[in-house]
């Protein structure tokens, strides 16, 4: 724990309770989900000091991210079984993720370019983002598309 926080009443209480369970040190990974809930995944150790190499730290952060994604997937409480995007919006974002322009996507899907742009704009609006690239990133993060 950083020194500036280690002398607070709350940190002393947590440290005391941890010691009761044989925890002397550890490594914590703060997380924020796409639905904006916050959490921390802690790795505890009975060693006096938790000394980790940069590689080990990256490995623990990777494990925490995957665990957080799994928890998020299990706790997805969207009432809408279809998700926030229509099938066509997902399809347009998939082609955008593959690097296709609106014109190319329109030819692939047999739609007008205007219709493809409309579906892209709709997806951007759903996610509250400014660009189609940002919409693609958000759709991937939410596991709505798998490029």
């Amino acid at each position: 724990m950083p020194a500036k926080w280690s002398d607070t009443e709350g940190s002393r209480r947590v440290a005391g309770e941890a010691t009761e369970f044989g925890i002397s040190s550890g490594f914590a990974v703060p997380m924020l989900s796409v639905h904006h809930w916050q959490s921390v995944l802690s790795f505890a150790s009975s060693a006096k000091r938790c000394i980790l190499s940069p590689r080990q730290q990256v490995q623990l952060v990777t494990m925490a991210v995957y665990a957080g994604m799994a928890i998020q997937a299990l706790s997805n409480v969207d009432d809408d079984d279809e998700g926030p995007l229509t099938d066509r919006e997902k399809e347009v974002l998939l082609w955008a993720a593959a690097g296709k322009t609106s014109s190319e996507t329109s030819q692939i899907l047999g739609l007008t370019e205007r219709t493809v742009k409309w579906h892209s704009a709709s997806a951007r609006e759903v996610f509250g983002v400014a660009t189609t690239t940002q919409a693609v990133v958000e759709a991937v993060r939410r596991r709505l598309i798998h490029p």
Side-chain angles (χ1 to χ4, degrees):
M1 177 175 304
K4 66 180 180 180
W5 295 327
S6 63
D7 199 31
T8 66
E9 181 182 335
S11 65
R12 285 191 300 273
R13 190 183 95 237
V14 169
E17 291 174 4
T19 304
E20 292 175 20
F21 291 95
I23 299 170
S24 297
S25 63
F27 184 77
V29 181
M31 294 184 289
L32 177 66
S33 81
V34 297
H35 298 293
H36 308 292
W37 51 264
Q38 297 176 15
S39 60
V40 174
L41 183 59
S42 299
F43 297 90
S45 173
S46 59
K48 187 72 175 164
R49 290 196 64 209
C50 183
I51 301 172
L52 301 168
S53 70
R55 179 184 172 111
Q56 290 169 321
Q57 290 178 19
V58 168
Q59 289 171 331
L60 291 177
V61 169
T62 302
M63 288 171 51
V65 168
Y66 278 105
M69 289 170 61
I71 291 166
Q72 182 179 329
L74 291 172
S75 65
N76 189 358
V77 293
D78 287 341
D79 294 334
D80 186 10
D81 290 338
E82 299 298 316
L85 298 177
T86 66
D87 288 341
R88 187 61 88 184
E89 290 163 349
K90 291 177 192 177
E91 199 170 20
V92 166
L93 290 181
L94 275 170
W95 286 112
K100 301 298 181 189
T101 65
S102 295
S103 175
E104 292 168 328
T105 301
S106 70
Q107 292 172 3
I108 292 166
L109 298 177
L111 303 170
T112 67
E113 186 174 356
R114 181 177 175 186
T115 300
V116 169
K117 288 180 178 180
W118 184 84
H119 286 296
S120 292
S122 179
R124 291 193 305 271
E125 186 176 325
V126 165
F127 295 133
V129 298
T131 69
T132 300
T133 301
Q134 290 171 318
V136 168
V137 169
E138 190 62 26
V140 170
R141 283 176 25 128
R142 293 188 189 194
R143 297 182 175 193
L144 299 173
I145 63 171
H146 307 281

